[in-house]
Amino acid sequence: MSRKLTEARAEANRKYQRKLAGIAIKVQPEQRDRYNAAAAAAGIPLRQLILQALEEKIERDHLL
């Protein structure tokens, strides 16, 4: 099965991406390496680890 990205799929991806809001953070290189290592150890992408941590913090501390 070919995994080529069709033009229709690419356009759908672009449309979806335009709906999303970005959040940028700056960290020291050592922190970035630590966070990447933690995500790898958990077997998930760093983005997912960060989002999970935020959601857990919000729930645990009843922030919303």
Side-chain angles (χ1 to χ4, degrees):
M1 179 174 151
S2 175
R3 297 202 71 130
K4 281 186 147 181
L5 186 65
T6 66
E7 186 54 39
R9 182 75 256 163
E11 180 55 33
N13 288 347
R14 287 189 291 272
K15 184 177 178 183
Y16 173 74
Q17 290 293 324
R18 286 192 294 268
K19 293 180 182 181
L20 299 177
I23 299 173
I25 60 171
K26 299 284 186 175
V27 298
Q28 295 293 325
E30 301 80 23
Q31 290 174 298
R32 181 195 59 213
D33 296 343
R34 182 172 187 249
Y35 302 154
N36 279 324
I44 59 176
L46 179 57
R47 177 185 179 281
Q48 186 177 349
L49 178 69
I50 292 168
L51 293 175
Q52 284 179 355
L54 285 168
E55 290 297 328
E56 289 173 10
K57 173 73 173 171
I58 289 167
E59 290 296 319
R60 183 180 59 241
D61 295 349
H62 308 287
L63 298 175
L64 295 177

